Amino acid sequence: MGFSTNLQGKIAHEALVSRQDAELRLLEAMKRCINTRLKCDRDYATALSTLASQGLKIDRGDDLVGSVVCSAWKTMMEEMENASKLIKQNADIVETKALDTLNTLYAEKRKVRKAYQEEHIRISQQFTHLSDEVVRKKTEYQKYLEQYKLMRCKFEEIYIKGGKGGRKLDEVRDKYQKACRKLHLTHNEYVLLLCEAVEFEKDFRTVLLPGLLEHQQSLQEAFILTWKQILQDIARNLDLTSDKFRENQRRVELSIDSIRPIEEYKDFTEKYKTTPAEPVKFIFDESLVEESAGKLLPNQLTVDNLTVEWLRNKLTELEASIKENQEKKTVLTNGHNSDSLVNGKSNNEINNRLSLNFEVSKKELNELKCQERKMLKQIELIKTALNELGCEEVPSGCDISIESQPAFIENSTEQGNGSQSTLLNLANPQRLVNMLRKPFRRRSAPSSPVAPPRTKGRRESAPRSEGGDPVALTTNKSLVDEEWFHGVLPREEVVRLLTVDGDFLVRETTRNDECQTVLSVCWGGHKHFIVQTTVEGSYRFEGPACPTIRELIIYQFNSGLPVTQRSGAILHKPIPRERWELNNDDVVLLDKIGRGNFGDVYRAQLKNSQEIVAVKTCRVTLPEEHKKKFLQEGRILKQYDHPNIVKLIGICVQKQPIMIVMELVPGGSLLTFLRKKSASLAEGQLMTMCLDAAAGMRYLESKNCIHRDLAARNCLVGYNNNVKISDFGMSREEEEYIVSDGMKQIPIKWTAPEALNFGKYTSLCDVWSYGILCWEIFSRGGTPYEGMNNTKAREKIDSGYRMPASENTPDEMYRLMLRCWEYKPENRPNFEQVYSVVETLCNAYRATFC
Ligand code: ADP
């Protein structure tokens, strides 16, 4: 089955030409692809080489001493480099050998294709030409045949007609002979041509075309052989699995095989053999707690009201974490057990994987165990600290109550702290430390002109050893009847009363909406024990239970045993209520006369003395901090006794609502009074009011009390229009008080610039406010800086503006106001001086008008 026999047809010829074209295109495509492939291989080889040199840049130090992994890696990288070289070499070979041959093949094939086509055309044309000649000859033959026939007819005609001679006959005969000759010649030519055509046709079919095709076949087959060799060369040279590469791979595998986990660290451990590290000791730096006056102890958790909630939350948090931890542990342990079952299969890969998993879970398990141990230790520490508290009430972490200002005046923020006589100034840490160290002062009761409102009077407390035991189990007495029961007196007040070891009292406190009875004892500090209720409904500390709290306290006192082992606190001396600690039931509220920041103000009557008083109540719902703040006014006022200072009669803390009982000042607030009575108030009366206020303020100044909120709204008007200074909610007993943490709810228009700008308060600030108060008095209840908001007023004051005198203000009085409003405090008069100026003015006025 060769070309010569099968491809003679026209279609086959065209197909053969197309085939050769296609092969030429295939050759072109191959050249292109091989070129690209060579480029790829070279790029790849370069990349491999770069990679290998990077991979070889490993630690040159001794750190990988003896590591077989490292040397396997090195082999791997070296072989990578070798592979890179091999790939490059092969690419070069393919380029110089195979690709060149491919180019030659291409050129040869093109030439052969051309020659074949030309030869085919040539012989085909010959054949066509002969065929055409035959046709043409035949046509010529026919033409001459016609002519011959015509001439013969003519000759016969003339011959028959004319006889045997004559010119005409000669002519016709001549023509006839010529036509005959032409016909015969053409006939012969035709015969010869046909003979040639027949022969050529036979040759074309049997010799020429088959010969051409045969030759073509042999050429093409020779090309195919070359082509095959080229492809073989390429395939061989681009084979990445060739022996050379396999050798390469073998070397790598061999070096990897030589890795033995057990051996890997042998040299290394030998070289760096050391003894285990000494444990690191974490030691509490005791200097940190030096300043804490014993409140903070090294390595001991501090349990106080500031930390107890946090500690409890922390405990819950830790316990939850432990639980979670334990669940994780169970999951890991179960997981490991089920892995062990699969381990039975003799499949190395699975076994390896599982053993790795096992190692991982073992590690996780260890980590969980460590975490658990850590948490258990912390839990133990917290539990011990909380348990040690036993029935003791959580101690106060900071005995200074946090001030919160009444919410009636706007703006800026202020945070200050103050106990009765000490103030927490956060800007001055040393002062804070000193304060923490300073024991709470116990103030001796002032000799008040107001008789104690209690029929029982104050009972002197006495130690157990002395006669007249005040802690005796007399019949029918309830706890609240006991002198040493102080109701809801805040802890800050309580600690002031307990000054000597063994001093004690009983009080109530509310924690998380639960009322608790607390035994407060002075014993190397202040201890507060919460009375525990047993399931049977009796009461106890650590000792035996008693049917009533009163009996429990009496037992504790009489037994001389410590309340708790840990505290060692023994009850020596019951501290009775102070004379101003009234029973809530001693006061009958009559009618509401005002509304304060903490609650309503009532006109009330004392049951025992029938005295009519004013009672400020504190809303039960207010937070503890506010209640303490409410009592602050009572705490300050109880020391003062002056006709121009509203008098404290007592505080009611036996139960809620807590109340402050004061003298009733019948005219109510000075501001309302001035506004109501503006028309009827004479200049002299106004002057006297200023004198009253000056007298009250002079008294406060002498007591180092800064009122900080002096204004007509905070003065009361008593009999004969006598003015009394009231509302000591913001007062401080300090020579100088600095508010360091910003100011809030400050009565801007009444406050001196240095207090507004620097938070610095002295009595001279009160002098500024006094100037405003006088202005309010003479304007008969006018609004200072009317039409200006606080910011505007501040700006104006800072720029030197001062309010003009209102109508009918005596010049001297206005001059005094201006002196009170001197920008620099040192340029203002003190209250001593203010008082003498106003007194002189009043005297002069009286001398003139009365
Ligand atoms: P707070 O200090 O809570 O603001 P205030 O001292 O301003 O309360 O009292 C509110 C109102 O109750 C006063 O404006 C006044 O009318 C009335 N008030 C307060 N104390 C007395 C008192 N001792 N005598 C008569 N009225 C008083």
Side-chain angles (χ1 to χ4, degrees):
M1 285 258 283
F3 282 18
S4 56
T5 46
N6 296 309
L7 300 180
Q8 285 185 19
K10 195 166 176 285
I11 292 173
H13 162 69
E14 281 166 7
L16 186 59
V17 173
S18 297
R19 171 67 180 245
Q20 289 182 51
D21 286 343
E23 285 177 355
L24 285 168
R25 284 199 302 276
L26 177 62
L27 275 169
E28 273 171 3
M30 277 186 181
K31 279 188 333 184
R32 260 198 325 273
C33 289
I34 289 164
N35 268 322
T36 313
R37 163 74 197 255
L38 295 183
K39 187 179 175 310
C40 288
D41 282 4
R42 285 185 177 123
D43 289 349
Y44 177 51
T46 313
L48 279 184
S49 170
T50 315
L51 198 72
S53 59
Q54 274 172 13
L56 283 168
K57 273 187 207 153
I58 38 176
D59 206 343
R60 300 215 181 279
D62 278 350
D63 295 347
L64 288 167
V65 63
S67 167
V68 186
V69 172
C70 181
S71 70
W73 172 253
K74 271 187 191 165
T75 308
M76 202 180 233
M77 291 300 104
E78 279 159 10
E79 291 309 324
M80 197 182 279
E81 178 62 40
N82 288 340
S84 149
K85 280 182 190 148
L86 260 177
I87 293 168
K88 253 191 212 146
Q89 271 170 20
N90 289 344
D92 292 346
I93 292 170
V94 169
E95 189 171 45
T96 52
K97 220 174 126 200
L99 212 56
D100 269 6
T101 325
L102 206 63
N103 279 329
T104 316
L105 176 69
Y106 181 76
E108 290 292 313
K109 266 182 84 73
R110 268 178 76 100
K111 239 192 272 169
V112 165
R113 177 192 172 279
K114 196 174 166 231
Y116 165 72
Q117 248 191 331
E118 281 170 0
E119 185 60 15
H120 194 276
I121 288 168
R122 196 183 61 77
I123 56 171
S124 301
Q125 273 176 352
Q126 260 184 334
F127 179 75
T128 315
H129 179 69
L130 262 179
S131 306
D132 290 352
E133 275 298 288
V134 169
V135 173
R136 199 180 50 76
K137 223 13 120 189
K138 188 181 162 190
T139 315
E140 203 179 287
Y141 196 144
Q142 281 168 338
K143 191 178 97 184
Y144 289 132
L145 182 64
E146 286 306 312
Q147 277 178 4
Y148 164 78
K149 278 187 205 166
L150 185 70
M151 285 304 134
R152 200 177 67 178
C153 278
K154 274 186 183 173
F155 172 68
E156 279 172 357
E157 192 183 326
I158 290 171
Y159 185 77
I160 292 162
K161 274 186 204 167
K164 297 226 186 234
R167 198 180 54 93
K168 185 114 180 170
L169 182 67
D170 288 343
E171 272 179 26
V172 175
R173 187 191 292 126
D174 195 35
K175 278 186 182 174
Y176 169 63
Q177 278 176 341
K178 274 184 184 171
C180 187
R181 192 170 160 263
K182 256 286 190 240
L183 176 67
H184 286 205
L185 280 175
T186 305
H187 170 83
N188 285 347
E189 278 172 1
Y190 183 57
V191 170
L192 286 175
L193 192 63
L194 277 180
C195 168
E196 188 189 343
V198 167
E199 280 311 307
F200 188 80
E201 189 278 334
K202 208 167 86 195
D203 285 352
F204 180 75
R205 201 170 21 83
T206 59
V207 180
L208 295 175
L209 196 55
L212 178 65
L213 287 170
E214 211 175 281
H215 180 59
Q216 198 53 225
Q217 183 172 3
S218 69
L219 284 176
Q220 293 303 343
E221 283 175 356
F223 285 150
I224 295 298
L225 183 64
T226 317
W227 209 345
K228 181 182 174 185
Q229 285 162 353
I230 294 171
L231 288 176
Q232 280 172 337
D233 270 3
I234 293 172
R236 201 173 37 254
N237 285 306
L238 298 185
D239 178 10
L240 297 177
T241 61
S242 66
D243 287 350
K244 284 182 181 170
F245 284 105
R246 274 210 294 277
E247 249 172 62
N248 201 304
Q249 180 65 14
R250 222 176 0 263
R251 284 197 292 274
V252 173
E253 281 166 10
L254 273 175
S255 68
I256 295 173
D257 280 348
S258 60
I259 298 174
R260 302 270 176 281
I262 285 188
E263 311 259 312
E264 179 68 12
Y265 298 103
K266 222 169 162 185
D267 291 359
F268 174 79
T269 39
E270 192 54 40
K271 181 161 182 201
Y272 295 104
K273 207 156 57 180
T274 45
T275 45
E278 284 292 309
V280 178
K281 281 185 186 143
F282 291 95
I283 296 168
F284 193 100
D285 180 352
E286 299 203 1
S287 69
L288 293 171
V289 296
E290 272 169 13
E291 302 280 304
S292 75
K295 276 189 181 284
L296 306 174
L297 296 173
N299 297 314
Q300 271 185 41
L301 290 175
T302 295
V303 186
D304 56 32
N305 59 344
L306 306 176
T307 61
V308 72
E309 276 314 306
W310 180 87
L311 283 169
R312 282 182 188 139
N313 288 341
K314 183 83 189 162
L315 189 65
T316 320
E317 210 177 277
L318 284 167
E319 281 170 344
S321 301
I322 288 258
K323 204 168 157 232
E324 205 180 302
N325 211 303
Q326 280 164 347
E327 279 161 12
K328 279 189 199 161
K329 264 169 56 187
T330 317
V331 171
L332 276 178
T333 318
N334 291 345
H336 168 233
N337 288 342
S338 60
D339 283 354
S340 318
L341 294 175
V342 188
N343 258 347
K345 290 185 185 170
S346 61
N347 181 327
N348 267 347
E349 202 187 324
I350 294 179
N351 284 344
N352 282 344
R353 193 162 44 77
L354 290 180
S355 84
L356 195 67
N357 282 350
F358 172 62
E359 286 306 321
V360 171
S361 42
K362 211 165 101 181
K363 192 182 115 290
E364 278 175 28
L365 218 59
N366 276 343
E367 259 172 42
L368 290 174
K369 276 182 194 161
C370 288
Q371 273 174 16
E372 193 177 314
R373 243 196 319 271
K374 200 171 64 187
M375 287 190 285
L376 280 171
K377 278 276 170 203
Q378 289 178 326
I379 287 177
E380 191 187 313
L381 206 64
I382 298 176
K383 274 191 175 163
T384 315
L386 289 175
N387 285 346
E388 271 191 11
L389 197 65
C391 60
E392 272 185 54
E393 193 193 35
V394 182
S396 170
C398 175
D399 289 328
I400 302 142
S401 62
I402 305 296
E403 172 176 310
S404 58
Q405 294 290 354
F408 67 100
I409 301 162
E410 62 161 301
N411 245 325
S412 354
T413 51
E414 172 186 23
Q415 191 181 346
N417 279 311
S419 67
Q420 180 179 349
S421 54
T422 52
L423 291 152
L424 174 58
N425 178 358
L426 296 174
N428 185 344
Q430 193 50 48
R431 209 158 126 200
L432 170 65
V433 168
N434 291 344
M435 255 172 48
L436 285 168
R437 284 178 175 158
K438 197 154 60 173
F440 291 91
R441 269 189 279 159
R442 180 170 181 187
R443 292 186 173 273
S444 56
S447 56
S448 169
V450 182
R454 314 229 303 270
T455 44
K456 291 172 196 159
R458 180 178 171 156
R459 201 180 325 168
E460 270 309 310
S461 54
R464 262 180 305 124
S465 50
E466 287 169 16
D469 192 346
V471 190
L473 190 54
T474 52
T475 49
N476 296 335
K477 227 179 175 188
S478 71
L479 177 68
V480 290
D481 291 333
E482 291 291 357
E483 276 297 291
W484 37 266
F485 180 73
H486 290 249
V488 290
L489 190 68
R491 186 150 85 172
E492 287 67 21
E493 299 292 326
V494 165
V495 296
R496 280 186 320 100
L497 298 177
L498 307 175
T499 52
V500 178
D501 273 4
D503 284 0
F504 73 93
L505 56 81
V506 174
R507 65 186 170 93
E508 275 173 0
T509 187
T510 309
R511 194 165 297 276
N512 303 331
D513 290 337
E514 193 196 330
C515 179
Q516 293 172 330
T517 308
V518 179
L519 167 65
S520 294
V521 188
C522 177
W523 196 264
H526 292 99
K527 305 264 177 329
H528 307 271
F529 305 94
I530 300 165
V531 174
Q532 309 291 301
T533 313
T534 65
V535 273
E536 296 83 26
S538 44
Y539 304 94
R540 62 185 293 251
F541 294 113
E542 281 180 4
C546 298
T548 65
I549 296 175
R550 181 172 163 267
E551 284 167 67
L552 173 70
I553 303 298
I554 290 165
Y555 161 79
Q556 203 63 52
F557 176 75
N558 288 334
S559 69
L561 293 169
V563 186
T564 62
Q565 286 306 316
R566 191 177 82 93
S567 67
I570 297 171
L571 310 187
H572 285 324
K573 181 180 168 190
I575 300 299
R577 295 199 282 264
E578 291 187 295
R579 65 180 170 76
W580 40 69
E581 280 181 66
L582 309 182
N583 248 326
N584 294 54
D585 298 338
D586 291 344
V587 181
V588 182
L589 300 182
L590 300 172
D591 38 52
K592 189 171 148 183
I593 52 171
R595 186 175 172 77
N597 280 301
F598 297 95
D600 294 330
V601 183
Y602 292 87
R603 195 170 70 86
Q605 187 168 33
L606 296 178
K607 267 190 197 158
N608 296 324
S609 62
Q610 307 295 307
E611 187 183 354
I612 298 292
V613 291
V615 171
K616 277 187 171 188
T617 58
C618 183
R619 275 190 299 278
V620 179
T621 48
L622 284 181
E624 279 307 300
E625 282 306 318
H626 286 230
K627 288 180 181 160
K628 284 173 194 164
K629 166 84 180 58
F630 171 77
L631 285 177
Q632 164 117 329
E633 184 170 12
R635 195 200 280 182
I636 287 199
L637 273 179
K638 73 184 173 191
Q639 317 159 78
Y640 301 148
D641 178 22
H642 189 274
N644 299 109
I645 303 291
V646 68
K647 263 186 208 47
L648 176 86
I649 292 170
I651 51 173
C652 299
V653 288
Q654 290 303 95
K655 57 185 180 190
Q656 302 285 2
I658 53 173
M659 306 189 282
I660 297 177
V661 183
M662 291 188 286
E663 65 168 312
L664 178 77
V665 188
S669 135
L670 172 60
L671 184 64
T672 319
F673 181 85
L674 287 168
R675 287 178 181 172
K676 272 193 194 154
K677 305 262 165 104
S678 62
S680 61
L681 288 170
E683 198 179 301
Q685 285 174 299
L686 299 179
M687 204 93 85
T688 312
M689 285 178 167
C690 293
L691 185 65
D692 286 347
M697 291 312 293
R698 182 178 65 165
Y699 176 79
L700 290 183
E701 184 182 67
S702 73
K703 301 281 183 193
N704 269 343
C705 174
I706 316 166
H707 188 283
R708 292 177 71 221
D709 197 10
L710 179 60
R713 65 178 173 278
N714 290 330
C715 294
L716 297 169
V717 183
Y719 294 112
N720 302 322
N721 296 347
N722 181 18
V723 170
K724 289 175 188 266
I725 312 290
S726 169
D727 204 343
F728 285 72
M730 280 173 73
S731 305
R732 293 286 178 274
E733 285 187 311
E734 284 281 293
E735 238 173 77
E736 179 182 301
Y737 171 65
I738 309 273
V739 179
S740 57
D741 274 6
M743 310 264 278
K744 64 176 177 189
Q745 299 160 340
I746 295 301
I748 306 277
K749 290 182 177 177
W750 281 261
T751 306
E754 69 277 13
L756 292 178
N757 297 332
F758 311 112
K760 183 181 165 185
Y761 283 92
T762 61
S763 283
L764 291 171
C765 290
D766 284 346
V767 170
W768 177 287
S769 314
Y770 175 81
I772 307 286
L773 170 65
C774 292
W775 186 93
E776 286 181 286
I777 292 173
F778 276 95
S779 65
R780 292 171 165 83
T783 304
Y785 309 96
E786 183 125 50
M788 295 183 207
N789 64 16
N790 285 336
T791 317
K792 183 77 193 161
R794 271 183 86 166
E795 274 170 20
K796 293 279 276 179
I797 292 161
D798 281 343
S799 66
Y801 170 84
R802 296 295 180 265
M803 278 192 287
S806 34
E807 219 184 319
N808 300 327
T809 310
D811 289 346
E812 297 82 347
M813 204 56 220
Y814 182 58
R815 268 200 295 279
L816 178 67
M817 288 181 212
L818 290 177
R819 284 180 64 202
C820 293
W821 298 335
E822 277 288 342
Y823 198 82
K824 289 184 176 170
E826 59 272 26
N827 293 339
R828 292 172 212 152
N830 61 22
F831 277 114
E832 188 65 60
Q833 293 160 331
V834 167
Y835 181 81
S836 72
V837 169
V838 183
E839 188 184 34
T840 314
L841 282 175
C842 279
N843 288 341
Y845 185 89
R846 282 179 200 134
T848 316
F849 296 102
C850 307

